[in-house]
Amino acid sequence: MRWYFRLLFISVVAVFLLLVTPIFNVHLYQDELNVFPKLEKAPLSEVIDGYDGNTIAVRYEDKVLQLVDAPMIAEGDIYLPVSLVHDHLNENFFWDEEEGVLTYTTLRDVIRMKTEALTYFINDEPLELNMPILELKEDVPYMPLDLVERFSNASFSYNESLKLLDMENLLEDSDYVEISAEEGGYVRTWKDRTSAYVEELPLGEEIQIYEDDGIWLYVKTPSGLTGYIKKRYTGNKQYEFGSSDKLLIEPYTYEKKYDGKLNMAWHQVFNVAANRNMAEKTSKAIGLNVLSPTWFSLKNEDGDLTNIADITYVRTAHQKGYQVWALVDNAFDRELTHEVLSSTAKRERIIKQLLAYAAIYDLDGINIDFENVAKEDGIYFVQFMKELTPYLKSQGLVVSVDMYVPSAWTAHYDRTTMGELVDYVMIMGYDEHWSTSPESGSVASIGFVEKGIVNTLEEVPAEKVVLGIPFYTRKWKEVIEDGKVVVSQQSMSMNNAYDDLKENDADIVWLDETAQYYGEYEKDNATYKIWLEDETSIEEKVKLMDAYGLAGVSAWKLGLERDEVWPTLSGYLE
């Protein structure tokens, strides 16, 4: 009988398996199609971070932006806060809250838009807007979306039912796939088939991929929602390049108008009459090709400039084969600089004066030398250069800017942006020990100069970098007062410094660590120290210019050099 019961048991098990297996297989099949288990739909507050159903949420690529000011609807049109546009789409927008002016700059154009106005200006030429800049909240400027689209490399889609604005960077490459499961697929809140679903997608629906871990894809659906879907429920990956021609302008290229490398000298003049000594001061200047006279300076809080330019100077310079890049400075006045550069109208006033002077005096270029700019005013200085440069270049002028060697306290000068805007960035490779230095030292030791070059090249292309070299040195005086060393100095020309050491019978020795000759002597209970600049020390610096492939040199200042310096420079710069 045992065999009978065994046969009966086997038969029952077989029947059970025949009945259960199809159901089990169906469940497996459904799970393969990502439709089992079908759980509740995730609330939008879990899918869109910060969603409240009242304000417009903004997703940029795969992230929901946390905004202080959200987009708004005005007369049926979408408006974006300028802060959103600047921070995420195009940093070339600049808002002047005081004057209610929005400025946009490219390498070639300056575009100004005033709130509530239906006219904007491109390089002072008026054009009509479809919609104005509005202050939909107090002191918060908003731009119409159709205007934003003209000035950004992004696509925009607005889901009215979700109150979700989706923005996508068109310059980035994108990956897309299609839903390949016949029953469709569920995009879920997490990499778990039991998690709530974000959206159900049909067969053939195209979705954008942001992440791929081999099993799950992090994707964005056509409605702008993001979530996870199993990779096996999608078809082969389709690769698509991002593309946009909205703002892809050809970069401005400066056509060099002199042979060899730049060999420039700053010529400090204090009045119009002082311009007359140019011919004498350049009589031994072999290889010189550019002069930069100190002609224009901030005068007052209205943005007026002092002017000591001289057309005869320019004509003489041109006859001698020199270009003239007039220097413009900020009078080394921090407060005046803030008052002028923080105003759109005053920046524009400076620009118009420079354009007029450039035409009147037949200038070849403008050299900007704004020093002692406060950290908080860095944004205004950068904006000034963004607005000035296109105008100057439209007149065929060379644009250069003088920069300190890189350091934490000069980061607000934004050398990276300057390197993109201007033709040349001059490293002021001197004043290592400045006029009020608490200790004696070299004006430009070789290590200081090389470090300045290396750090600048991290932000500015070598072909735009010009090495500023000193034609001067400092004579340091050290005395003991109350047991402490008290330091003072006197700026000197190369010849005067050498003569001073010789007259006082100082031993002059070469210092490898500074690549300079050095001498000191005692006199009247004081110690005098001089790190000499001459043709030998200058050559060591110019060797660095050559080794790092820089654009040339600029020297401060004309008239303090030894005659022997010019053949040395010419040998490296021709």
Side-chain angles (χ1 to χ4, degrees):
M1 294 292 293
R2 290 181 178 176
W3 63 269
Y4 174 78
F5 286 109
R6 288 176 179 173
L7 180 61
L8 181 62
F9 176 76
I10 292 171
S11 299
V12 171
V13 170
V15 171
F16 176 79
L17 291 174
L18 288 172
L19 294 174
V20 172
T21 297
I23 298 174
F24 183 68
N25 285 339
V26 167
H27 287 179
L28 286 177
Y29 177 68
Q30 288 178 324
D31 187 44
E32 280 295 303
L33 295 178
N34 194 29
V35 297
F36 178 86
K38 182 174 181 179
L39 302 179
E40 74 277 4
K41 190 172 185 178
L44 286 175
S45 59
E46 292 183 12
V47 181
I48 305 174
D49 190 22
Y51 181 81
D52 61 11
N54 297 315
T55 58
I56 296 175
V58 179
R59 185 186 300 281
Y60 184 48
E61 297 184 330
D62 63 328
K63 299 291 189 301
V64 176
L65 303 180
Q66 301 303 305
L67 303 172
V68 175
D69 301 303
M72 299 179 73
I73 304 291
E75 299 181 358
D77 296 308
I78 299 174
Y79 279 75
L80 305 187
V82 170
S83 58
L84 164 62
V85 180
H86 176 275
D87 294 345
H88 298 283
L89 297 173
N90 195 323
E91 64 181 10
N92 289 321
F93 282 100
F94 183 86
W95 170 245
D96 187 326
E97 180 178 345
E98 192 70 25
E99 298 174 13
V101 178
L102 181 66
T103 301
Y104 176 76
T105 56
T106 72
L107 291 179
R108 294 184 181 276
D109 299 310
V110 178
I111 303 168
R112 297 203 192 280
M113 297 162 267
K114 293 187 177 181
T115 53
E116 309 297 333
L118 288 174
T119 302
Y120 67 108
F121 294 84
I122 298 181
N123 299 344
D124 289 335
E125 292 295 324
L127 291 172
E128 292 297 312
L129 278 172
N130 294 327
M131 291 178 283
I133 308 299
L134 299 177
E135 288 191 5
L136 299 178
K137 292 172 63 177
E138 185 176 0
D139 296 329
V140 180
Y142 278 76
M143 295 176 60
L145 182 58
D146 70 339
L147 186 62
V148 175
E149 288 183 296
R150 292 184 59 182
F151 298 108
S152 62
N153 291 306
S155 63
F156 301 86
S157 60
Y158 179 58
N159 189 318
E160 187 173 1
S161 63
L162 299 178
K163 286 197 170 182
L164 176 63
L165 177 64
D166 185 63
M167 308 188 304
E168 196 68 36
N169 187 349
L170 293 175
L171 298 183
E172 296 291 333
D173 295 339
S174 301
D175 290 335
Y176 292 86
V177 291
E178 291 183 351
I179 301 296
S180 60
E182 291 186 4
E183 299 297 326
Y186 284 88
V187 176
R188 300 185 180 274
T189 58
W190 186 241
K191 303 175 184 181
D192 186 342
R193 68 186 180 88
T194 64
S195 64
Y197 72 91
V198 174
E199 191 172 350
E200 181 181 4
L201 300 175
L203 174 67
E205 187 72 87
E206 190 177 78
I207 51 180
Q208 185 175 354
I209 303 171
Y210 289 116
E211 296 176 11
D212 179 355
D213 67 7
I215 299 175
W216 290 86
L217 301 177
Y218 181 51
V219 302
K220 181 166 69 177
T221 70
S223 62
L225 300 177
T226 57
Y228 298 88
I229 189 170
K230 276 197 170 181
K231 187 175 182 178
R232 61 187 177 187
Y233 308 136
T234 62
N236 294 328
K237 186 181 294 187
Q238 303 171 7
Y239 192 66
E240 183 171 303
F241 286 100
S243 62
S244 173
D245 58 2
K246 294 179 183 176
L247 290 179
L248 296 183
I249 61 174
E250 292 184 12
Y252 174 89
T253 55
Y254 162 58
E255 296 182 6
K256 192 170 65 173
K257 301 172 184 176
Y258 53 84
D259 296 329
K261 290 183 177 291
L262 177 64
N263 187 351
M264 185 181 98
W266 284 292
H267 182 196
Q268 187 176 29
V269 292
F270 298 98
N271 50 57
V272 175
N275 289 306
R276 298 169 191 164
N277 67 14
M278 180 267 287
E280 177 186 350
K281 288 199 172 189
T282 58
S283 61
K284 302 291 181 65
I286 301 170
L288 182 70
N289 46 39
V290 174
L291 280 168
S292 183
T294 57
W295 278 349
F296 309 118
S297 182
L298 286 187
K299 179 180 181 181
N300 54 40
E301 293 185 359
D302 294 328
D304 293 322
L305 296 176
T306 60
N307 170 22
I308 54 173
D310 180 7
I311 187 61
T312 301
Y313 182 108
V314 178
R315 290 171 179 165
T316 303
H318 287 168
Q319 290 171 3
K320 293 170 71 69
Y322 307 145
Q323 291 186 48
V324 179
W325 300 356
L327 181 143
V328 186
D329 67 50
N330 61 335
F332 210 75
D333 188 322
R334 180 170 291 207
E335 288 72 27
L336 177 60
T337 300
H338 169 78
E339 289 299 323
V340 174
L341 294 192
S342 61
S343 164
T344 297
K346 293 174 184 177
R347 292 194 306 272
E348 191 169 24
R349 183 174 178 83
I350 296 172
I351 292 168
K352 288 181 177 179
Q353 290 173 81
L354 289 177
L355 291 172
Y357 289 147
I360 291 169
Y361 296 107
D362 194 21
L363 300 178
D364 304 288
I366 293 292
N367 176 242
I368 301 297
D369 183 42
F370 276 40
E371 302 183 39
N372 195 33
V373 175
K375 181 178 181 181
E376 58 270 22
D377 291 327
I379 56 171
Y380 302 126
F381 172 69
V382 173
Q383 185 61 26
F384 170 61
M385 293 303 299
K386 284 183 174 182
E387 295 171 8
L388 171 67
T389 301
Y391 281 109
L392 295 180
K393 289 184 175 180
S394 70
Q395 286 195 191
L397 295 163
V398 183
V399 186
S400 61
V401 62
D402 305 334
M403 287 279 165
Y404 298 106
V405 295
S407 66
W409 66 274
T410 63
H412 58 286
Y413 278 84
D414 194 354
R415 273 167 285 270
T416 299
T417 297
M418 290 302 115
E420 295 170 352
L421 285 174
V422 304
D423 299 304
Y424 293 112
V425 173
M426 279 68 174
I427 312 171
M428 293 185 285
Y430 40 77
D431 268 1
E432 177 182 4
H433 292 82
W434 57 101
S435 60
T436 57
S437 173
E439 61 181 20
S440 306
S442 170
V443 166
S445 69
I446 199 68
F448 170 82
V449 173
E450 184 164 22
K451 182 180 179 182
I453 292 173
V454 170
N455 290 342
T456 300
L457 291 178
E458 292 180 359
E459 302 176 86
V460 184
E463 63 270 17
K464 288 190 172 187
V465 175
V466 177
L467 176 60
I469 57 175
F471 277 178
Y472 69 99
T473 189
R474 299 192 191 280
K475 174 184 175 180
W476 299 94
K477 178 181 179 181
E478 297 180 355
V479 296
I480 305 298
E481 295 181 3
D482 299 327
K484 295 182 179 180
V485 178
V486 178
V487 176
S488 59
Q489 65 85 40
Q490 176 187 353
S491 295
M492 303 184 79
S493 70
M494 291 181 176
N495 282 327
N496 287 348
Y498 180 79
D499 291 343
D500 185 84
L501 290 175
K502 296 300 290 183
E503 288 171 5
N504 289 282
D505 297 322
D507 290 331
I508 301 175
V509 297
W510 177 259
L511 301 180
D512 288 332
E513 62 269 27
T514 63
Q516 293 165 311
Y517 285 105
Y518 169 78
E520 68 174 72
Y521 60 90
E522 304 287 335
K523 185 176 182 180
D524 299 331
N525 297 318
T527 300
Y528 295 89
K529 299 179 178 180
I530 298 178
W531 283 261
L532 285 169
E533 290 291 352
D534 62 5
E535 62 274 14
T536 308
S537 65
I538 292 298
E539 182 172 16
E540 294 302 311
K541 295 173 178 58
V542 179
K543 285 179 181 177
L544 291 176
M545 178 278 302
D546 192 49
Y548 285 98
L550 307 187
V553 301
S554 52
W556 180 266
K557 62 180 179 173
L558 186 68
L560 298 184
E561 74 282 4
R562 289 162 59 98
D563 292 344
E564 292 81 3
V565 166
W566 291 110
T568 299
L569 288 176
S570 181
Y572 287 88
L573 300 174
E574 286 183 346

